Amino acid sequence: MKIMRNGLLLSCLAATLMTTSCGFQKKLQLQDTYSKITVVNDSLDKLTSQWHTLRDQASISKNYTALAPARIALGSFISRGRASVANIVVTPENEAVMNEEDQLLLNQSTLVAEVYPNFEQFNEYTPKETMDKNVSLITNDLMNVKEKVASIKKMLEKFAAKNNIKK
Protein backbone atom coordinates (compact mmCIF):
# COMPACT_ATOMS: atom_id res chain seq x y z
CA MET A 1 0.00 0.00 0.00
CA LYS A 2 2.80 2.37 1.00
CA ILE A 3 4.77 1.52 -2.16
CA MET A 4 1.71 2.13 -4.29
CA ARG A 5 1.10 5.51 -2.65
CA ASN A 6 4.74 6.52 -3.10
CA GLY A 7 4.63 5.41 -6.73
CA LEU A 8 1.50 7.48 -7.32
CA LEU A 9 3.10 10.49 -5.63
CA LEU A 10 6.23 10.13 -7.77
CA SER A 11 4.12 9.82 -10.92
CA CYS A 12 2.21 13.01 -10.09
CA LEU A 13 5.43 14.81 -9.29
CA ALA A 14 7.01 13.68 -12.56
CA ALA A 15 3.95 14.76 -14.56
CA THR A 16 3.97 18.16 -12.85
CA LEU A 17 7.68 18.65 -13.55
CA MET A 18 7.24 17.67 -17.19
CA THR A 19 4.37 20.08 -17.81
CA THR A 20 6.11 23.01 -16.13
CA SER A 21 9.51 22.32 -17.68
CA CYS A 22 8.06 22.01 -21.19
CA GLY A 23 6.41 25.42 -21.00
CA PHE A 24 2.94 23.91 -20.97
CA GLN A 25 1.93 25.84 -17.84
CA LYS A 26 3.07 29.15 -19.33
CA LYS A 27 1.18 28.41 -22.55
CA LEU A 28 -1.98 27.77 -20.51
CA GLN A 29 -1.51 31.05 -18.63
CA LEU A 30 -1.14 32.99 -21.89
CA GLN A 31 -4.19 31.27 -23.37
CA ASP A 32 -6.12 32.07 -20.18
CA THR A 33 -5.11 35.73 -20.44
CA TYR A 34 -6.26 35.94 -24.05
CA SER A 35 -9.56 34.18 -23.40
CA LYS A 36 -10.53 36.08 -20.25
CA ILE A 37 -9.63 39.53 -21.54
CA THR A 38 -11.40 38.87 -24.85
CA VAL A 39 -14.59 37.87 -23.05
CA VAL A 40 -14.45 40.81 -20.63
CA ASN A 41 -13.65 43.26 -23.42
CA ASP A 42 -16.45 42.06 -25.73
CA SER A 43 -19.03 41.93 -22.95
CA LEU A 44 -18.14 45.40 -21.70
CA ASP A 45 -18.62 46.76 -25.22
CA LYS A 46 -21.98 45.01 -25.57
CA LEU A 47 -23.35 46.06 -22.16
CA THR A 48 -22.20 49.67 -22.52
CA SER A 49 -23.78 49.86 -25.98
CA GLN A 50 -27.02 48.46 -24.59
CA TRP A 51 -27.12 51.06 -21.81
CA HIS A 52 -26.56 53.89 -24.30
CA THR A 53 -29.27 52.52 -26.60
CA LEU A 54 -31.69 52.42 -23.67
CA ARG A 55 -30.70 55.96 -22.68
CA ASP A 56 -31.27 57.19 -26.23
CA GLN A 57 -34.70 55.54 -26.27
CA ALA A 58 -35.52 56.98 -22.85
CA SER A 59 -34.64 60.50 -23.96
CA ILE A 60 -37.31 60.18 -26.65
CA SER A 61 -40.00 58.42 -24.59
CA LYS A 62 -39.12 60.25 -21.32
CA ASN A 63 -39.35 56.88 -19.57
CA TYR A 64 -36.04 56.23 -17.82
CA THR A 65 -37.09 53.22 -15.72
CA ALA A 66 -35.19 50.69 -17.88
CA LEU A 67 -31.87 52.39 -17.15
CA ALA A 68 -31.49 51.21 -13.54
CA PRO A 69 -31.49 47.46 -14.27
CA ALA A 70 -29.14 47.98 -17.22
CA ARG A 71 -26.77 50.08 -15.11
CA ILE A 72 -26.82 47.55 -12.28
CA ALA A 73 -26.08 44.71 -14.71
CA LEU A 74 -23.24 46.72 -16.24
CA GLY A 75 -21.82 47.64 -12.84
CA SER A 76 -22.00 44.05 -11.64
CA PHE A 77 -20.31 42.86 -14.79
CA ILE A 78 -17.51 45.43 -14.41
CA SER A 79 -16.95 44.33 -10.84
CA ARG A 80 -16.71 40.66 -11.87
CA GLY A 81 -14.57 41.60 -14.87
CA ARG A 82 -12.09 43.50 -12.73
CA ALA A 83 -11.85 40.53 -10.38
CA SER A 84 -11.34 38.18 -13.31
CA VAL A 85 -8.56 40.33 -14.78
CA ALA A 86 -6.96 40.73 -11.34
CA ASN A 87 -6.80 36.94 -10.95
CA ILE A 88 -4.78 36.46 -14.13
CA VAL A 89 -1.13 35.71 -13.47
CA VAL A 90 0.92 38.71 -14.61
CA THR A 91 3.79 37.92 -16.93
CA PRO A 92 5.98 40.22 -19.00
CA GLU A 93 4.06 39.03 -22.08
CA ASN A 94 0.60 39.96 -20.81
CA GLU A 95 1.29 42.92 -18.51
CA ALA A 96 0.59 45.67 -21.06
CA VAL A 97 -2.75 44.28 -22.25
CA MET A 98 -3.85 43.56 -18.67
CA ASN A 99 -3.04 47.12 -17.61
CA GLU A 100 -5.04 48.53 -20.52
CA GLU A 101 -8.05 46.34 -19.74
CA ASP A 102 -7.91 47.18 -16.05
CA GLN A 103 -7.74 50.91 -16.82
CA LEU A 104 -10.73 50.65 -19.16
CA LEU A 105 -12.74 48.80 -16.51
CA LEU A 106 -11.74 51.33 -13.85
CA ASN A 107 -12.82 54.27 -16.03
CA GLN A 108 -16.15 52.63 -16.87
CA SER A 109 -16.70 51.70 -13.24
CA THR A 110 -16.38 55.34 -12.26
CA LEU A 111 -18.86 56.48 -14.92
CA VAL A 112 -21.35 53.73 -14.08
CA ALA A 113 -21.19 54.58 -10.38
CA GLU A 114 -21.14 58.37 -10.59
CA VAL A 115 -22.75 59.53 -13.85
CA TYR A 116 -25.13 56.85 -15.14
CA PRO A 117 -27.42 56.93 -12.06
CA ASN A 118 -28.26 60.60 -12.70
CA PHE A 119 -30.34 59.60 -15.72
CA GLU A 120 -32.56 57.29 -13.68
CA GLN A 121 -34.08 60.28 -11.89
CA PHE A 122 -35.23 61.99 -15.07
CA ASN A 123 -38.79 62.19 -16.29
CA GLU A 124 -40.84 64.36 -18.63
CA TYR A 125 -40.60 67.28 -16.16
CA THR A 126 -36.82 67.32 -15.91
CA PRO A 127 -35.51 70.67 -17.19
CA LYS A 128 -33.71 70.51 -20.52
CA GLU A 129 -30.65 72.21 -18.99
CA THR A 130 -30.32 69.44 -16.40
CA MET A 131 -30.60 66.77 -19.06
CA ASP A 132 -28.13 68.52 -21.36
CA LYS A 133 -25.62 68.91 -18.53
CA ASN A 134 -25.73 65.18 -17.75
CA VAL A 135 -25.69 64.16 -21.41
CA SER A 136 -22.53 66.26 -21.85
CA LEU A 137 -20.84 64.08 -19.22
CA ILE A 138 -21.33 60.98 -21.38
CA THR A 139 -21.15 62.50 -24.85
CA ASN A 140 -17.93 60.70 -25.74
CA ASP A 141 -18.39 57.74 -23.41
CA LEU A 142 -19.61 55.20 -25.95
CA MET A 143 -17.10 56.29 -28.57
CA ASN A 144 -14.28 56.14 -26.01
CA VAL A 145 -15.28 52.64 -24.95
CA LYS A 146 -15.48 51.46 -28.56
CA GLU A 147 -12.06 52.97 -29.36
CA LYS A 148 -10.46 51.46 -26.26
CA VAL A 149 -12.07 48.07 -26.92
CA ALA A 150 -10.75 48.17 -30.50
CA SER A 151 -7.29 49.13 -29.24
CA ILE A 152 -7.26 46.27 -26.74
CA LYS A 153 -8.46 43.86 -29.44
CA LYS A 154 -5.48 44.90 -31.58
CA MET A 155 -3.17 44.36 -28.61
CA LEU A 156 -4.74 40.92 -28.08
CA GLU A 157 -4.26 40.02 -31.75
CA LYS A 158 -0.56 40.90 -31.52
CA PHE A 159 -0.32 39.08 -28.19
CA ALA A 160 -1.93 35.97 -29.71
CA ALA A 161 0.29 36.03 -32.80
CA LYS A 162 3.47 36.57 -30.79
CA ASN A 163 2.66 33.76 -28.34
CA ASN A 164 1.08 31.36 -30.86
CA ILE A 165 -2.28 31.34 -29.07
CA LYS A 166 -5.46 29.83 -30.47
CA LYS A 167 -8.25 32.33 -31.02
Side-chain angles (χ1 to χ4, degrees):
M1 184 73 160
K2 186 175 181 181
I3 294 172
M4 193 171 174
R5 189 173 21 159
N6 287 342
L8 184 60
L9 182 63
L10 281 172
S11 298
C12 290
L13 182 61
T16 302
L17 285 173
M18 285 180 57
T19 58
T20 56
S21 67
C22 296
F24 186 70
Q25 182 69 26
K26 185 175 181 179
K27 182 77 170 172
L28 285 177
Q29 288 174 339
L30 296 174
Q31 183 69 51
D32 186 52
T33 299
Y34 179 84
S35 300
K36 284 183 179 177
I37 291 181
T38 297
V39 168
V40 169
N41 209 29
D42 291 347
S43 298
L44 178 65
D45 182 28
K46 178 183 171 197
L47 290 170
T48 303
S49 295
Q50 285 176 346
W51 186 88
H52 278 274
T53 299
L54 288 171
R55 200 223 31 99
D56 290 343
Q57 292 169 350
S59 68
I60 294 167
S61 69
K62 306 298 181 209
N63 182 0
Y64 293 86
T65 57
L67 292 178
R71 177 187 53 83
I72 291 167
L74 179 57
S76 297
F77 169 77
I78 290 171
S79 179
R80 288 188 312 273
R82 290 194 73 202
S84 178
V85 170
N87 286 326
I88 297 172
V89 175
V90 179
T91 65
E93 295 87 0
N94 70 8
E95 186 174 19
V97 72
M98 287 181 56
N99 288 341
E100 289 295 317
E101 187 68 25
D102 188 52
Q103 188 62 48
L104 173 60
L105 290 168
L106 177 62
N107 292 343
Q108 282 309 109
S109 176
T110 301
L111 277 173
V112 168
E114 296 175 5
V115 178
Y116 285 21
N118 298 342
F119 292 92
E120 297 163 19
Q121 306 168 41
F122 294 168
N123 59 37
E124 65 271 12
Y125 303 112
T126 304
K128 183 172 175 11
E129 301 80 35
T130 303
M131 290 181 135
D132 291 345
K133 177 184 166 210
N134 283 283
V135 168
S136 72
L137 297 173
I138 62 162
T139 299
N140 296 322
D141 174 44
L142 186 57
M143 186 60 70
N144 290 342
V145 168
K146 295 226 175 263
E147 287 174 359
K148 199 65 172 167
V149 163
S151 171
I152 292 170
K153 279 184 181 182
K154 286 180 185 175
M155 288 178 77
L156 284 170
E157 292 296 320
K158 289 178 184 176
F159 173 78
K162 180 180 177 185
N163 295 292
N164 197 26
I165 294 173
K166 292 186 282 183
K167 300 175 189 176

